Amino acid sequence: AVDTQADLASVNALNNGTLFAFTGEATVVANPDNKNVYIKDANSYSLIYDNKGATTLPIGTKITPNWIGKISIYNGLVEIVPISELVAVEGEPAVVTHDEATIANVVEANINKVVVFKGLTYTLETGKNITFKEGEQTIAGYNKFSLTIDEPVEGKKYDVVGAISINNSTMQISALSITRVPE
């Protein structure tokens, strides 16, 4: 028998390798590459990881309940691997807005939450690494979705939509978009 879970907080607390049936309501809040699909319910966020890249659900789509998933913990990050097909609830996708956050919100309790950071600066490091800065605070960033990111303009600030993430024990922001704040 497969455990049933009605909310994402309960799913996120499951052990690595656990199979479950999700009976609750979840909405897609970000889908940058059809492999990493961020979802939320009334209280929590989670990450669906579909290595086939077949999860084409648009942002704002509600997922029909009673799908099967398996927990996979990758370098400390809880991921849901879909076992059954994820099917959209009929109807127009909802408009999705993201909560505003600060670097202080990049903590384990918020892993997989998709948020917007206002007025950051950043530095592109080697590989896909980014350093984001807010005042005197810095946080690691990662270009997980292979975005085309422009060299930052000196003295300009940027709004960053990102997923709060972890890699081993390092908290970080997985950038979904970086937009220069208009003058």
Side-chain angles (χ1 to χ4, degrees):
V2 176
D3 283 350
T4 59
Q5 302 294 335
D7 62 85
L8 292 177
S10 300
V11 170
N12 293 338
L14 294 172
N15 292 325
N16 193 25
T18 304
L19 269 175
F20 65 92
F22 189 72
T23 59
E25 187 173 275
T27 302
V28 175
V29 294
N31 185 354
D33 59 5
N34 295 337
K35 283 184 178 186
N36 296 273
V37 181
Y38 293 89
I39 60 174
K40 76 172 195 162
D41 65 10
N43 301 307
S44 297
Y45 288 74
S46 204
L47 170 60
I48 292 172
Y49 180 71
D50 175 0
N51 65 4
K52 294 186 288 298
T55 303
T56 56
L57 301 174
I59 293 169
T61 302
K62 290 194 183 316
I63 301 169
T64 303
N66 299 311
W67 49 271
I68 309 287
K70 181 178 178 178
I71 296 296
S72 172
I73 299 177
Y74 179 77
N75 290 346
L77 185 67
V78 174
E79 299 175 336
I80 296 169
V81 177
I83 303 297
S84 62
E85 187 182 356
L86 301 176
V87 178
V89 172
E90 289 292 321
E92 287 298 306
V95 173
V96 170
T97 56
H98 303 298
D99 292 346
E100 205 170 304
T102 65
I103 285 177
N105 299 122
V106 182
V107 295
E108 285 200 27
N110 290 330
I111 286 176
N112 289 327
K113 183 171 184 178
V114 177
V115 294
V116 61
F117 300 90
K118 298 281 195 176
L120 301 185
T121 57
Y122 67 93
T123 312
L124 297 176
E125 310 292 348
T126 55
K128 292 185 170 210
N129 295 318
I130 308 165
T131 298
F132 290 108
K133 190 168 185 184
E134 178 182 66
E136 293 305 304
Q137 285 190 293
T138 61
I139 189 78
Y142 191 66
N143 188 3
K144 180 173 182 168
F145 311 113
S146 301
L147 308 176
T148 301
I149 301 176
D150 296 329
E151 281 293 331
V153 178
E154 187 70 35
K156 301 298 179 196
K157 297 208 181 282
Y158 297 82
D159 291 343
V160 177
V161 175
I164 296 172
S165 193
I166 190 168
N167 184 22
N168 294 318
S169 57
T170 304
M171 293 303 302
Q172 63 186 21
I173 299 168
S174 293
L176 293 159
S177 69
I178 299 176
T179 310
R180 194 160 126 189
V181 177
E183 308 300 308

